[in-house]
Coordinates of all heavy atoms in Angstrom, one line a residue:
M1 N 16.7 -2.8 -15.1 CA 15.9 -1.6 -15.5 C 14.9 -1.2 -14.4 O 14.4 -2.0 -13.7 CB 15.1 -2.0 -16.8 CG 14.2 -0.9 -17.3 SD 13.2 -1.4 -18.6 CE 14.3 -1.6 -19.9
L2 N 14.8 0.1 -14.3 CA 13.9 0.7 -13.3 C 12.8 1.5 -14.1 O 13.2 2.4 -14.8 CB 14.6 1.6 -12.3 CG 13.7 2.4 -11.4 CD1 13.0 1.5 -10.4 CD2 14.5 3.5 -10.7
K3 N 11.6 1.1 -13.9 CA 10.5 1.9 -14.6 C 9.6 2.5 -13.6 O 9.1 1.8 -12.7 CB 9.7 0.9 -15.5 CG 10.1 0.9 -16.9 CD 9.1 0.1 -17.7 CE 9.4 0.2 -19.2 NZ 8.5 -0.6 -20.0
V4 N 9.3 3.8 -13.7 CA 8.3 4.5 -12.9 C 7.2 4.8 -13.9 O 7.4 5.4 -14.9 CB 8.9 5.8 -12.3 CG1 7.8 6.6 -11.6 CG2 10.0 5.4 -11.3
E5 N 6.0 4.2 -13.5 CA 4.9 4.3 -14.5 C 3.7 5.1 -13.9 O 3.1 4.6 -12.9 CB 4.4 2.9 -14.9 CG 5.5 2.2 -15.7 CD 5.0 0.8 -16.1 OE1 4.0 0.3 -15.6 OE2 5.7 0.1 -16.9
N6 N 3.4 6.2 -14.5 CA 2.1 6.9 -14.2 C 2.0 7.2 -12.7 O 0.9 6.9 -12.1 CB 0.9 6.2 -14.8 CG -0.1 7.1 -15.3 OD1 0.2 8.3 -15.6 ND2 -1.3 6.6 -15.4
L7 N 3.0 7.7 -12.1 CA 3.0 7.9 -10.6 C 2.3 9.2 -10.2 O 2.5 10.3 -10.7 CB 4.5 8.0 -10.2 CG 4.8 7.8 -8.7 CD1 4.5 6.3 -8.4 CD2 6.2 8.2 -8.4
Y8 N 1.4 9.0 -9.2 CA 0.6 10.1 -8.6 C 0.8 10.1 -7.1 O 0.8 9.0 -6.5 CB -0.9 9.9 -8.9 CG -1.3 10.3 -10.3 CD1 -1.1 9.4 -11.4 CD2 -1.8 11.5 -10.6 CE1 -1.5 9.7 -12.7 CE2 -2.2 11.9 -11.9 CZ -2.0 11.0 -12.9 OH -2.4 11.3 -14.2
K9 N 1.1 11.2 -6.5 CA 1.2 11.3 -5.1 C 0.8 12.7 -4.6 O 1.3 13.7 -5.1 CB 2.6 11.1 -4.6 CG 2.8 11.1 -3.1 CD 2.1 10.0 -2.4 CE 2.3 10.1 -0.9 NZ 1.6 9.0 -0.2
T10 N -0.1 12.8 -3.7 CA -0.5 14.0 -3.1 C -0.5 13.8 -1.5 O -1.0 12.8 -1.0 CB -1.9 14.4 -3.5 OG1 -2.0 14.6 -4.9 CG2 -2.4 15.7 -2.8
F11 N 0.2 14.7 -0.8 CA 0.2 14.7 0.6 C -1.0 15.6 1.1 O -1.3 16.6 0.5 CB 1.5 15.2 1.2 CG 2.6 14.2 1.1 CD1 3.7 14.6 0.3 CD2 2.6 13.0 1.8 CE1 4.8 13.7 0.2 CE2 3.7 12.2 1.7 CZ 4.8 12.5 0.8
A12 N -1.6 15.2 2.2 CA -2.6 16.0 2.9 C -3.8 16.3 1.9 O -4.2 17.5 1.8 CB -2.1 17.2 3.5
K13 N -4.2 15.3 1.2 CA -5.3 15.5 0.2 C -6.6 16.1 0.8 O -7.0 15.7 1.9 CB -5.7 14.1 -0.4 CG -6.3 14.3 -1.8 CD -6.2 13.0 -2.6 CE -6.5 13.3 -4.0 NZ -5.5 12.6 -4.9
N14 N -7.1 17.1 0.2 CA -8.3 17.8 0.6 C -8.2 18.5 1.9 O -9.1 18.8 2.6 CB -9.5 16.8 0.7 CG -9.8 16.2 -0.6 OD1 -9.8 16.8 -1.7 ND2 -10.1 14.9 -0.7
K15 N -6.9 18.9 2.3 CA -6.7 19.7 3.4 C -6.0 21.0 3.0 O -5.6 21.1 1.9 CB -5.7 18.9 4.4 CG -6.2 17.6 4.8 CD -5.8 17.2 6.2 CE -6.5 16.0 6.8 NZ -5.6 14.8 6.9
P16 N -6.0 22.0 3.9 CA -5.5 23.3 3.4 C -4.1 23.2 3.0 O -3.6 24.0 2.2 CB -5.7 24.2 4.7 CG -6.7 23.5 5.5 CD -6.6 22.0 5.2
D17 N -3.3 22.3 3.6 CA -1.9 22.2 3.2 C -1.6 21.1 2.2 O -0.5 20.5 2.1 CB -1.0 22.0 4.5 CG -1.4 20.8 5.3 OD1 -2.6 20.3 5.1 OD2 -0.7 20.3 6.1
E18 N -2.6 20.8 1.4 CA -2.5 19.8 0.4 C -1.3 20.0 -0.5 O -1.0 21.2 -0.9 CB -3.7 19.8 -0.5 CG -3.7 18.8 -1.7 CD -5.0 18.6 -2.4 OE1 -6.0 18.4 -1.8 OE2 -4.9 18.8 -3.7
K19 N -0.5 19.0 -0.8 CA 0.7 19.1 -1.6 C 0.7 18.1 -2.7 O 0.8 16.9 -2.4 CB 2.0 18.8 -0.7 CG 2.4 20.0 0.1 CD 3.5 20.8 -0.6 CE 3.6 22.2 -0.1 NZ 4.1 22.3 1.3
N20 N 0.4 18.5 -3.9 CA 0.4 17.6 -5.0 C 1.9 17.5 -5.5 O 2.5 18.5 -6.0 CB -0.5 18.2 -6.1 CG -0.5 17.3 -7.4 OD1 -0.3 17.8 -8.4 ND2 -0.7 16.0 -7.2
I21 N 2.4 16.3 -5.4 CA 3.9 16.1 -5.7 C 4.1 15.5 -7.2 O 4.9 16.0 -7.9 CB 4.5 15.1 -4.7 CG1 4.2 15.5 -3.3 CG2 6.0 15.1 -4.9 CD1 4.7 16.8 -2.8
F22 N 3.3 14.4 -7.5 CA 3.5 13.8 -8.8 C 2.2 13.6 -9.5 O 1.2 13.2 -8.9 CB 4.1 12.4 -8.7 CG 5.5 12.4 -8.0 CD1 5.7 11.7 -6.8 CD2 6.5 13.2 -8.5 CE1 7.0 11.7 -6.2 CE2 7.7 13.2 -7.9 CZ 8.0 12.5 -6.7
N23 N 2.1 14.0 -10.7 CA 0.9 14.0 -11.6 C 1.2 13.2 -12.8 O 1.3 13.7 -13.9 CB 0.6 15.4 -12.0 CG -0.6 16.0 -11.2 OD1 -1.5 15.2 -11.0 ND2 -0.5 17.2 -10.9
G24 N 1.3 11.9 -12.6 CA 1.6 11.0 -13.8 C 3.0 11.0 -14.3 O 3.3 11.1 -15.5
L25 N 3.9 10.9 -13.3 CA 5.4 10.8 -13.6 C 5.7 9.5 -14.3 O 5.4 8.4 -13.8 CB 6.2 11.0 -12.3 CG 7.7 10.9 -12.5 CD1 8.3 12.1 -13.3 CD2 8.4 10.7 -11.1
N26 N 6.5 9.6 -15.3 CA 7.0 8.4 -16.0 C 8.5 8.5 -16.3 O 8.9 9.6 -16.8 CB 6.3 8.2 -17.4 CG 4.9 7.7 -17.2 OD1 4.6 6.6 -17.0 ND2 3.9 8.7 -17.4
F27 N 9.3 7.5 -16.0 CA 10.6 7.5 -16.6 C 11.1 6.1 -16.5 O 10.6 5.2 -15.8 CB 11.6 8.5 -15.9 CG 12.0 8.1 -14.5 CD1 13.1 7.2 -14.3 CD2 11.4 8.7 -13.4 CE1 13.5 6.9 -13.0 CE2 11.9 8.4 -12.1 CZ 12.9 7.5 -11.9
C28 N 12.2 5.8 -17.3 CA 12.8 4.5 -17.3 C 14.3 4.7 -17.3 O 14.9 5.5 -18.0 CB 12.4 3.9 -18.7 SG 13.2 2.3 -18.9
A29 N 14.9 4.0 -16.4 CA 16.4 4.0 -16.3 C 16.9 2.6 -16.6 O 16.5 1.6 -16.0 CB 16.8 4.4 -14.9
K30 N 17.8 2.5 -17.6 CA 18.3 1.2 -18.0 C 19.4 0.8 -17.1 O 20.0 1.6 -16.4 CB 18.8 1.3 -19.4 CG 17.7 1.6 -20.5 CD 18.3 1.6 -21.9 CE 17.2 2.0 -22.9 NZ 17.5 3.2 -23.6
A31 N 19.7 -0.5 -17.0 CA 20.7 -1.1 -16.2 C 22.0 -0.4 -16.5 O 22.4 -0.3 -17.7 CB 20.9 -2.6 -16.4
G32 N 22.7 0.2 -15.5 CA 24.0 0.8 -15.7 C 23.9 2.3 -16.1 O 24.9 2.9 -16.1
E33 N 22.7 2.7 -16.4 CA 22.5 4.1 -16.8 C 22.7 5.0 -15.6 O 22.2 4.7 -14.5 CB 21.2 4.3 -17.4 CG 21.0 5.6 -18.1 CD 19.7 5.7 -18.9 OE1 18.8 4.8 -18.7 OE2 19.5 6.6 -19.7
F34 N 23.4 6.2 -15.8 CA 23.5 7.2 -14.7 C 22.5 8.3 -14.9 O 22.5 8.9 -16.0 CB 25.0 7.7 -14.8 CG 25.3 8.6 -13.7 CD1 26.0 8.2 -12.5 CD2 25.0 10.0 -13.7 CE1 26.3 9.0 -11.5 CE2 25.3 10.8 -12.7 CZ 26.0 10.4 -11.6
I35 N 21.6 8.5 -14.0 CA 20.7 9.5 -14.1 C 20.7 10.5 -12.9 O 21.1 10.0 -11.8 CB 19.2 9.0 -14.3 CG1 18.7 8.3 -13.1 CG2 19.1 8.2 -15.6 CD1 17.2 8.0 -13.2
T36 N 20.3 11.7 -13.1 CA 20.3 12.7 -12.0 C 18.9 13.2 -11.9 O 18.3 13.6 -12.9 CB 21.3 13.8 -12.3 OG1 22.6 13.3 -12.5 CG2 21.3 14.8 -11.2
I37 N 18.4 13.3 -10.6 CA 17.1 13.9 -10.4 C 17.4 15.3 -9.8 O 18.0 15.4 -8.7 CB 16.3 13.0 -9.3 CG1 16.3 11.6 -9.7 CG2 14.9 13.6 -9.1 CD1 15.4 11.2 -10.8
I38 N 16.9 16.3 -10.5 CA 17.1 17.7 -10.0 C 15.7 18.3 -9.7 O 14.7 17.9 -10.3 CB 17.9 18.5 -11.0 CG1 17.2 18.6 -12.3 CG2 19.3 18.0 -11.1 CD1 17.7 19.7 -13.2
G39 N 15.7 19.2 -8.7 CA 14.5 19.9 -8.4 C 14.7 20.7 -7.1 O 15.6 20.4 -6.3
G40 N 14.0 21.8 -7.0 CA 14.2 22.7 -5.9 C 13.8 22.1 -4.6 O 13.2 20.9 -4.6
N41 N 14.0 22.8 -3.5 CA 13.6 22.3 -2.2 C 12.1 22.0 -2.1 O 11.4 22.9 -2.5 CB 14.0 23.3 -1.1 CG 13.9 22.8 0.3 OD1 14.0 21.6 0.5 ND2 13.7 23.7 1.3
G42 N 11.7 20.8 -1.8 CA 10.3 20.5 -1.7 C 9.7 20.0 -3.0 O 8.5 19.8 -3.1
A43 N 10.5 19.8 -4.0 CA 10.0 19.4 -5.3 C 9.5 17.9 -5.3 O 8.6 17.6 -6.1 CB 11.1 19.5 -6.4
G44 N 10.1 17.1 -4.4 CA 9.6 15.7 -4.3 C 10.7 14.7 -4.6 O 10.4 13.5 -4.8
K45 N 12.0 15.1 -4.6 CA 13.1 14.2 -4.8 C 13.1 13.0 -3.8 O 13.2 11.9 -4.2 CB 14.4 14.9 -4.9 CG 14.5 16.1 -5.8 CD 15.8 16.9 -5.7 CE 16.0 17.5 -4.4 NZ 15.1 18.6 -4.1
S46 N 13.1 13.4 -2.5 CA 13.1 12.4 -1.5 C 11.9 11.5 -1.5 O 12.0 10.3 -1.3 CB 13.3 13.1 -0.1 OG 14.5 13.7 0.0
T47 N 10.7 12.1 -1.8 CA 9.5 11.3 -1.9 C 9.6 10.3 -3.0 O 9.2 9.2 -2.9 CB 8.3 12.3 -2.1 OG1 8.2 13.2 -1.1 CG2 7.0 11.5 -2.2
L48 N 10.2 10.7 -4.1 CA 10.4 9.8 -5.2 C 11.3 8.6 -4.8 O 11.0 7.4 -5.1 CB 11.0 10.5 -6.4 CG 11.3 9.6 -7.7 CD1 10.1 8.9 -8.2 CD2 12.0 10.4 -8.7
M49 N 12.4 8.9 -4.1 CA 13.3 7.8 -3.7 C 12.6 6.9 -2.7 O 12.7 5.7 -2.7 CB 14.5 8.4 -3.0 CG 15.5 9.1 -3.9 SD 16.0 8.0 -5.2 CE 15.8 9.0 -6.6
N50 N 11.8 7.5 -1.8 CA 11.1 6.7 -0.8 C 10.0 5.9 -1.4 O 9.7 4.7 -0.9 CB 10.4 7.7 0.3 CG 11.5 8.3 1.2 OD1 12.6 7.8 1.3 ND2 11.1 9.4 1.7
I51 N 9.4 6.3 -2.5 CA 8.4 5.5 -3.2 C 9.1 4.3 -3.9 O 8.7 3.2 -3.9 CB 7.6 6.3 -4.2 CG1 6.6 7.3 -3.4 CG2 6.8 5.4 -5.2 CD1 5.9 8.3 -4.3
I52 N 10.3 4.6 -4.5 CA 11.0 3.6 -5.3 C 11.5 2.5 -4.3 O 11.5 1.3 -4.6 CB 12.2 4.2 -6.0 CG1 11.7 5.0 -7.2 CG2 13.2 3.1 -6.5 CD1 12.8 5.9 -7.9
T53 N 11.9 2.9 -3.1 CA 12.4 1.9 -2.1 C 11.3 1.3 -1.3 O 11.6 0.4 -0.4 CB 13.4 2.6 -1.2 OG1 12.8 3.7 -0.5 CG2 14.7 3.0 -1.9
G54 N 10.1 1.8 -1.5 CA 8.9 1.2 -0.7 C 8.7 1.7 0.6 O 7.9 1.2 1.4
Q55 N 9.3 2.9 1.0 CA 9.1 3.5 2.3 C 7.8 4.3 2.3 O 7.3 4.6 3.4 CB 10.3 4.4 2.6 CG 11.7 3.8 2.4 CD 12.1 3.2 3.7 OE1 12.1 2.0 3.8 NE2 12.5 4.0 4.7
T56 N 7.4 4.8 1.1 CA 6.2 5.6 1.0 C 5.4 5.0 -0.2 O 6.0 4.5 -1.1 CB 6.6 7.0 0.6 OG1 7.4 7.6 1.7 CG2 5.4 7.9 0.4
F57 N 4.1 5.0 0.0 CA 3.2 4.4 -1.0 C 2.7 5.5 -1.9 O 2.3 6.6 -1.5 CB 2.0 3.7 -0.4 CG 2.5 2.4 0.2 CD1 2.5 2.3 1.6 CD2 2.8 1.3 -0.5 CE1 2.9 1.1 2.2 CE2 3.2 0.1 0.1 CZ 3.3 0.0 1.5
P58 N 2.7 5.3 -3.2 CA 2.1 6.3 -4.1 C 0.6 6.2 -4.1 O 0.0 5.2 -3.6 CB 2.6 5.8 -5.5 CG 2.8 4.4 -5.4 CD 3.2 4.1 -4.0
D59 N -0.1 7.2 -4.5 CA -1.6 7.1 -4.6 C -2.0 6.2 -5.7 O -2.9 5.4 -5.6 CB -2.2 8.5 -4.9 CG -1.9 9.5 -3.7 OD1 -1.8 9.0 -2.6 OD2 -1.9 10.7 -4.0
S60 N -1.2 6.2 -6.8 CA -1.4 5.3 -7.9 C -0.1 5.3 -8.7 O 0.7 6.2 -8.6 CB -2.6 5.6 -8.7 OG -2.5 6.8 -9.3
G61 N 0.0 4.3 -9.6 CA 1.2 4.2 -10.4 C 2.0 2.9 -10.0 O 1.6 2.3 -9.0
K62 N 3.0 2.6 -10.8 CA 3.7 1.4 -10.5 C 5.2 1.6 -10.6 O 5.7 2.4 -11.4 CB 3.4 0.3 -11.6 CG 2.0 -0.3 -11.5 CD 2.1 -1.8 -11.4 CE 0.9 -2.4 -10.9 NZ -0.3 -2.3 -11.8
I63 N 6.0 0.9 -9.8 CA 7.4 0.9 -9.8 C 7.8 -0.6 -10.3 O 7.4 -1.5 -9.6 CB 8.1 1.1 -8.5 CG1 7.5 2.4 -7.8 CG2 9.6 1.2 -8.6 CD1 7.8 3.7 -8.5
R64 N 8.5 -0.7 -11.3 CA 8.9 -2.0 -11.8 C 10.4 -2.1 -11.9 O 11.0 -1.2 -12.3 CB 8.3 -2.3 -13.2 CG 6.8 -2.3 -13.3 CD 6.4 -2.6 -14.7 NE 5.0 -2.4 -14.9 CZ 4.0 -3.2 -14.7 NH1 4.3 -4.4 -14.2 NH2 2.8 -2.9 -14.9
Ligands
ADP1 N1 5.2 12.6 5.1 C1 4.8 13.8 4.6 N2 3.6 14.3 4.9 C2 3.3 15.5 4.4 N3 4.0 16.2 3.5 C3 5.2 15.7 3.1 C4 5.6 14.4 3.6 N4 6.9 14.2 3.1 C5 7.1 15.2 2.3 N5 6.1 16.1 2.3 C6 6.1 17.4 1.5 O1 6.2 17.0 0.2 C7 7.0 18.0 -0.5 C8 8.2 17.3 -1.2 O2 9.0 16.8 -0.2 P1 10.4 16.1 -0.5 O3 10.2 14.9 -1.3 O4 11.1 15.9 0.8 O5 11.2 17.2 -1.4 P2 12.7 17.3 -1.8 O6 13.4 16.1 -1.3 O7 12.7 17.5 -3.3 O8 13.2 18.6 -1.1 C9 7.4 19.0 0.5 O9 6.5 20.1 0.4 C10 7.3 18.3 1.8 O10 6.9 19.2 2.8
MG2 MG1 15.0 15.7 -0.1

């Protein structure tokens, strides 16, 4: 099971190009479950994958 709990991420906080990506994202994928992440260019799909794999740190929240 993969659980994303209360995930927050903002790039360039308090800067003119501040990008708020996640504001309390939650989801749970069960073992063997097929899920699709959809979103326009720049929505945060790659950032989500990078946080799940530990390449990028969230501001807060947990990956279990
Ligand atoms: N390391 C970074 N520093 C600053 N901004 C970033 C960084 N990585 C991604 N972003 C910005 O965060 C937003 C989401 O990016 P990304 O996760 O790559 O979107 P997607 O994969 O959905 O197209 C974009 O506006 C992107 O420019
Ligand atoms: Mg991407």
Side-chain angles (χ1 to χ4, degrees):
M1 179 186 289
L2 171 69
K3 263 191 175 178
V4 172
E5 293 180 352
N6 215 21
L7 199 67
Y8 284 80
K9 180 68 180 177
T10 299
F11 286 114
K13 204 164 197 132
N14 299 321
K15 300 213 173 111
D17 55 344
E18 177 173 307
K19 281 265 160 66
N20 179 231
I21 311 293
F22 302 121
N23 254 320
L25 175 71
N26 289 282
F27 73 83
C28 175
K30 296 184 183 120
E33 192 173 11
F34 186 96
I35 64 167
T36 303
I37 309 288
I38 58 168
N41 191 25
K45 305 176 297 292
S46 294
T47 301
L48 177 61
M49 290 304 132
N50 289 337
I51 290 173
I52 289 169
T53 58
Q55 308 272 103
T56 298
F57 290 104
D59 295 334
S60 62
K62 289 235 163 69
I63 309 295
R64 296 182 195 274

